Amino acid sequence: MLLRNPRSWEIAEARATPERVAIARRPLIKAALGVAATGLALPARAQSAPVTDPRFSPGRAITAEADSTTYNNYYEFGDSKDIVQQAQKLPQAPWSISLAGMVDKPRTIALEDLLTQVSLEERVYRHRCVEAWAMTVPWTGFPLTALLRIAQPTASAKYVVFETVQDRKTMPGLRQSWYPWPYIEGVTMAEAANELPFLATGMYGKKLPPQDGGPIRLLLPWKYGFKSAKAIIKITFTDQRPVNFWQAINPDEYGFWANVNPAVPHPRWSQATERLLGSDERVPTKLFNGYGEVVASLYTNLTSEKLYM
Ligand code: MTE
């Protein structure tokens, strides 16, 4: 018999799907299919929700949707946290993603075609912003590993780079020319092949709203939130380490790795605790945002790198 020790961030299966998520399930598949939640009834089979993976239970209450969807960092829309209204103007369809660089066949794929090639699932992840606020969100999407299978990177690829859309009509922040647009983020191929990186197309059982990165964003829950690039239009495989957006702005404060570590302060503030959106309660921050059992082994041979900024 195959025995398995639960990881510390797992909870009993019975507690794995909070009521809020269970209630939210019905519109989930409709959202994935692009059907309005209030639209026509779907066949019974289509109404069953994507599988919720109990291994990704957060051990912490889910943040109220009204809080996590109204307090955003999205510099393309401006420097404030209050960009919800402006972000609604960003067209969400048609949307396509270029698979570029060191891949067998560089090509551009329509998001709806991509979604027919993956299985959607739900994961509840903790998100820790470098500014020391945190939220816990049920996301719908698919693991980055599924995208890797579709993209077929060549053996020479060492990094995956994610690029955000630049829509000058709706994104006033792009006029701030001192920022090094486009918003770029990246991980190593070894990190990309880990089970945690996730491409989200939904949140709280609904379509991913534009302010949170709709129609598709990255989630890297063991890294500071700025690594989780929004509104992705291009994924490039390369052998060159990318200079990510915040690193280009301030390399003394932001680096490539940006793994969460409460013991390594930001040059201007402590990272020891975090403020939970909604309650404003302060709780201790955990190494790798509590996901160390899944990702710590990625870094054992990288002691000379600045892994935590
Ligand atoms: N992606 C883009 N394109 N532009 C951004 O400004 N901000 C990052 C990240 N992804 C950002 C981005 C930061 S700093 C954080 S903390 C998260 O998005 C915030 O995600 P949220 O607004 O959904 O909470």
Side-chain angles (χ1 to χ4, degrees), residues 48-305:
S48 63
V51 179
T52 299
D53 192 329
R55 293 174 312 143
F56 301 109
S57 296
R60 182 183 278 194
I62 287 180
T63 305
E65 183 181 351
D67 293 316
S68 55
T69 57
T70 55
Y71 185 89
N72 298 102
N73 273 338
Y74 205 158
Y75 282 75
E76 287 86 339
F77 291 106
D79 298 357
S80 109
K81 306 280 187 238
D82 183 15
I83 53 84
V84 182
Q85 275 197 324
Q86 185 61 30
Q88 304 314 304
K89 298 178 182 162
L90 178 69
Q92 302 287 286
W95 196 272
S96 52
I97 299 179
S98 299
L99 303 174
M102 295 173 160
V103 289
D104 276 351
K105 262 192 250 153
R107 66 204 150 110
T108 298
I109 183 164
L111 180 55
E112 69 247 36
D113 292 340
L114 178 61
L115 292 181
T116 63
Q117 296 176 49
V118 296
S119 301
L120 290 182
E121 59 184 273
E122 186 174 73
R123 290 190 186 180
V124 184
Y125 274 168
R126 296 181 298 273
H127 174 101
R128 171 56 158 87
C129 177
V130 75
E131 298 163 339
W133 56 266
M135 61 180 183
T136 305
V137 170
W139 306 96
T140 317
F142 56 95
L144 180 59
T145 49
L147 187 279
L148 297 185
R149 278 195 291 276
I150 292 165
Q152 296 284 320
T154 65
S156 327
K158 293 196 171 70
Y159 300 93
V160 194
V161 183
F162 300 86
E163 185 179 319
T164 293
V165 72
Q166 297 187 77
D167 187 63
R168 287 180 200 288
K169 282 201 194 108
T170 61
M171 294 174 144
L174 296 178
R175 279 182 237 135
Q176 303 190 320
S177 54
W178 57 91
Y179 284 126
W181 308 113
Y183 199 100
I184 294 284
E185 261 309 338
V187 292
T188 64
M189 284 300 290
E191 290 177 316
N194 183 272
E195 64 184 303
L196 280 186
F198 199 64
L199 287 165
T201 53
M203 147 185 222
Y204 298 94
K206 302 171 189 163
K207 262 193 180 165
L208 188 62
Q211 68 272 21
D212 289 286
I216 182 164
R217 77 173 296 173
L218 179 65
L219 295 166
L220 301 166
W222 74 101
K223 293 179 178 281
Y224 290 116
F226 68 83
K227 297 289 296 179
S228 294
K230 295 176 169 180
I232 293 164
I233 54 154
K234 190 172 180 185
I235 301 177
T236 306
F237 296 84
T238 167
D239 56 4
Q240 305 292 312
R241 185 179 294 185
V243 177
N244 44 319
F245 182 79
W246 285 104
Q247 189 185 8
I249 293 168
N250 193 340
D252 294 334
E253 299 193 350
Y254 307 104
F256 169 76
W257 299 96
N259 295 310
V260 174
N261 188 340
V264 178
H266 184 281
R268 290 181 282 135
W269 58 83
S270 164
Q271 295 290 23
T273 64
E274 60 206 51
R275 174 178 64 89
L276 304 182
L277 286 193
S279 69
D280 282 348
E281 186 191 346
R282 284 213 91 91
V283 298
T285 288
K286 290 183 179 159
L287 181 61
F288 296 116
N289 200 21
Y291 295 100
E293 284 165 75
V294 197
V295 295
S297 62
L298 291 167
Y299 306 106
T300 39
N301 296 324
L302 294 171
T303 41
S304 60
E305 296 278 345

